[in-house]
Amino acid sequence: MKLWLLRHGEAEPQARSDAARELTRHGRKEVLHSAAHLVGRPLTAILASPYVRAQQTAQLVRETLGFAAPIVTVPWLTPDGDLAEALRYLDAQGDQELLLVTHQPLVGELASLLLHGHRQEPVPMKTASLAELDGEFALAGSMWLTSLRHS
């Protein structure tokens, strides 16, 4: 399995709720820069948090890649999403190439869990950072970090 973890681009500092925060102009540029690293990749799905900034990030990536399938919105990709639920979902996916568009602290903790088997060493993910993880299975401690790009 190949797993790409993308933190959303820079978002406006305030909105009526955290979930409603939109990408800034700079955030859109960051996302396009990160999306360029995914061109030509055989993604099987793009999964995104329901938060506006993550949906906008996923849509920019989808358009950049010409990815035909719709974005799959999942509730466990929110900032404080359930890591156990994420692992259960990923374990059921088999040998696929997935892109997850999400937030801190979840993205750093999920990467740490997949790499080290625990969340005590979160991977540093700035806005629009893109991590590439590989492994036979998406289980705690069973994947390795192939690349980490900061925009």
Side-chain angles (χ1 to χ4, degrees), residues 4-64:
W4 297 90
L5 301 175
L6 176 61
R7 183 177 174 202
H8 62 79
E10 178 189 81
E12 58 189 359
Q14 295 181 350
R16 70 185 188 294
S17 71
D18 184 41
R21 292 173 49 218
E22 295 190 19
L23 292 178
T24 63
R25 182 181 315 226
H26 176 71
R28 291 177 184 278
K29 288 179 185 177
E30 287 178 318
V31 170
L32 293 174
H33 182 263
S34 292
H37 296 289
L38 295 168
V39 171
R41 298 299 320 171
L43 293 178
T44 51
I46 298 174
L47 288 78
S49 156
Y51 286 25
V52 171
R53 60 191 180 274
Q55 289 288 312
Q56 290 173 327
T57 297
Q59 187 58 38
L60 283 170
V61 172
R62 184 175 178 262
E63 291 168 2
T64 300

Side-chain angles (χ1 to χ4, degrees), residues 17-136:
S17 71
D18 184 41
R21 292 173 49 218
E22 295 190 19
L23 292 178
T24 63
R25 182 181 315 226
H26 176 71
R28 291 177 184 278
K29 288 179 185 177
E30 287 178 318
V31 170
L32 293 174
H33 182 263
S34 292
H37 296 289
L38 295 168
V39 171
R41 298 299 320 171
L43 293 178
T44 51
I46 298 174
L47 288 78
S49 156
Y51 286 25
V52 171
R53 60 191 180 274
Q55 289 288 312
Q56 290 173 327
T57 297
Q59 187 58 38
L60 283 170
V61 172
R62 184 175 178 262
E63 291 168 2
T64 300
L65 302 180
F67 190 76
I71 296 165
V72 178
T73 302
V74 292
W76 46 264
L77 281 175
T78 57
D80 296 315
D82 185 346
L83 290 173
E85 190 171 350
L87 286 180
R88 280 191 299 275
Y89 178 89
L90 294 172
D91 183 44
Q93 299 313 300
D95 190 27
Q96 294 192 45
E97 187 158 341
L98 304 174
L99 170 64
L100 276 59
V101 181
T102 186
H103 315 264
Q104 282 288 38
L106 180 91
V107 67
E109 291 178 356
L110 178 59
S112 177
L113 186 58
L114 289 167
L115 297 170
H116 310 298
H118 57 76
R119 13 184 270 197
Q120 283 73 34
E121 296 176 51
V123 173
M125 298 285 287
K126 300 175 183 177
T127 56
S129 287
L130 179 66
E132 177 185 5
L133 283 69
D134 281 297
E136 194 169 331

